[in-house]
Amino acid sequence: MRVYLALISLSVIWGLTFIFIKMTVENTGVWGMVFLRCFIGALFLLPVFLFKLRSRETPIPYKHLIILGVINAGIPWGFLAWSETVINSNTTSVINALTPLFTALIGFLFFKKHLLKRQWLGILIGFFGIVVLTEFQIHQLFGSHFIGIGTMTLATIFYAFGSQYLKKHLQREDLVITITVSLFVASIVGLLVGGAMNDLPSFSTFNLETTLIVLALGAIGSGLAHLLLYYMIINGTPEFAATVAYIIPITAIIASFFILNEPITVNLVSGMLFIFIGIYITGRYRRG
């Protein structure tokens, strides 16, 4: 029951996160957004992290935590924010729903997990949903059109790899330590890339609304949300945790319609349905 409560809570938090990123990325910068939300998230968890550190007797697996921070937050969150500079937040959230499909595929390719024929069918159906989202304009995934749908698709691949990596190498590690260190690493990624690309926050443009949203993105959308995500991965499976992508688009589509006036198009709903069908088939038969 607790893992399902975590699933619902995370879907609401991350559904709203897509809207909040859209509202603030112009002021924070793409990689500045990564730096801020990860650094604030790490600070949010720091008191508990230090408390746990006092009683810890075994060494912290920094190597695995650094890798996790880069592949599960630093890079994909940059791609997510980058995507939202081009496409609507509701479209971004729907593409995010590919995560369970890529989680299964990455498990097969790199973590020796078996896929049944029907799971392959589910993956293909889910990918067809992306084709529908592009209005059958596949060139949007390549070349100068890659920023948007392409970068968000790439972000889901990193999420999938991060989930499988966490389950394999860090399942027995303390949640708070795992998240705090990985978020701090991700904040360094955002700071370094943002500095290199001159894409760090312009604090002079921050008003009260922007400041509050950024703080919420860090403390709740990063710190608390990662606690919920990693809890589901460790106490359930990477595939179960990835099904949060089922509910996120629903939250995001409704919120973006009322808050950002983003339209709900036929292609958006149709693409989402194909992705959902693919997720259902892939997850339904994973134990067969």
Side-chain angles (χ1 to χ4, degrees):
M1 179 61 70
R2 290 182 179 178
V3 291
Y4 286 99
L5 181 59
L7 178 69
I8 298 300
S9 300
L10 183 59
S11 67
V12 173
I13 292 172
W14 271 351
L16 293 174
T17 292
F18 286 96
I19 283 78
F20 291 153
I21 291 175
K22 187 75 171 180
M23 294 171 65
T24 55
V25 69
E26 184 177 343
N27 291 329
T28 63
V30 169
W31 296 98
M33 170 65 73
V34 176
F35 165 68
L36 285 174
R37 66 179 296 194
C38 292
F39 186 70
I40 294 171
L43 285 181
F44 174 76
L45 296 171
L46 186 60
V48 183
F49 171 81
L50 294 176
F51 175 79
K52 287 181 174 290
L53 211 58
R54 292 174 57 186
S55 58
R56 187 181 178 89
E57 298 178 354
T58 57
I60 295 177
Y62 284 110
K63 174 186 173 182
H64 291 309
L65 292 175
I66 289 172
I67 293 173
L68 184 69
V70 173
I71 65 175
N72 206 48
I75 294 176
W77 284 0
F79 286 148
L80 190 161
W82 204 359
S83 300
E84 293 221 36
T85 64
V86 177
I87 59 178
N88 286 342
S89 60
N90 54 18
T91 303
T92 308
S93 69
V94 170
I95 299 171
N96 187 72
L98 285 172
T99 301
L101 304 180
F102 277 120
T103 300
L105 187 58
I106 292 296
F108 170 78
L109 292 174
F110 298 101
F111 294 89
K112 300 180 179 179
K113 295 192 175 183
H114 179 64
L115 287 181
L116 303 176
K117 291 181 180 179
R118 289 180 176 178
Q119 288 180 287
W120 284 109
L121 175 63
I123 290 172
L124 290 175
I125 292 173
F127 289 164
F128 181 72
I130 287 295
V131 177
V132 174
L133 277 179
T134 67
E135 299 180 3
F136 298 91
Q137 303 295 313
I138 303 299
H139 66 273
Q140 293 187 39
L141 299 177
F142 306 99
S144 60
H145 298 279
F146 182 73
I147 307 302
I149 292 178
T151 46
M152 190 59 217
T153 302
L154 194 56
T156 64
I157 296 175
F158 276 95
Y159 288 147
F161 198 97
S163 294
Q164 296 287 7
Y165 190 88
L166 172 68
K167 185 69 174 183
K168 180 177 181 179
H169 297 287
L170 294 162
Q171 182 173 4
R172 300 183 183 279
E173 183 55 64
D174 182 89
L175 271 178
V176 174
I177 290 177
T178 297
I179 298 165
T180 306
V181 174
S182 61
L183 282 179
F184 180 71
V185 169
S187 73
I188 294 176
V189 172
L191 184 62
L192 292 177
V193 178
M197 299 181 65
N198 193 28
D199 191 35
L200 292 176
S202 175
F203 291 108
S204 61
T205 64
F206 277 34
N207 54 25
L208 179 60
E209 180 184 85
T210 300
T211 302
L212 291 176
I213 289 176
V214 169
L215 289 173
L217 281 171
I220 301 174
S222 300
L224 177 59
H226 262 66
L227 277 174
L228 295 171
L229 176 66
Y230 290 178
Y231 174 82
M232 288 190 297
I233 292 174
I234 291 172
N235 292 278
T237 66
E239 291 80 11
F240 173 79
T243 59
V244 68
Y246 250 139
I247 314 172
I248 288 174
I250 299 173
T251 304
I253 287 173
I254 294 173
S256 65
F257 178 78
F258 287 104
I259 298 174
L260 301 177
N261 296 316
E262 291 182 351
I264 302 175
T265 65
V266 173
N267 285 87
L268 179 69
V269 176
S270 299
M272 180 177 67
L273 289 177
F274 276 112
I275 292 173
F276 281 6
I277 292 170
I279 295 171
Y280 174 77
I281 294 175
T282 303
R284 172 68 176 79
Y285 293 98
R286 69 172 178 268
R287 296 178 184 174

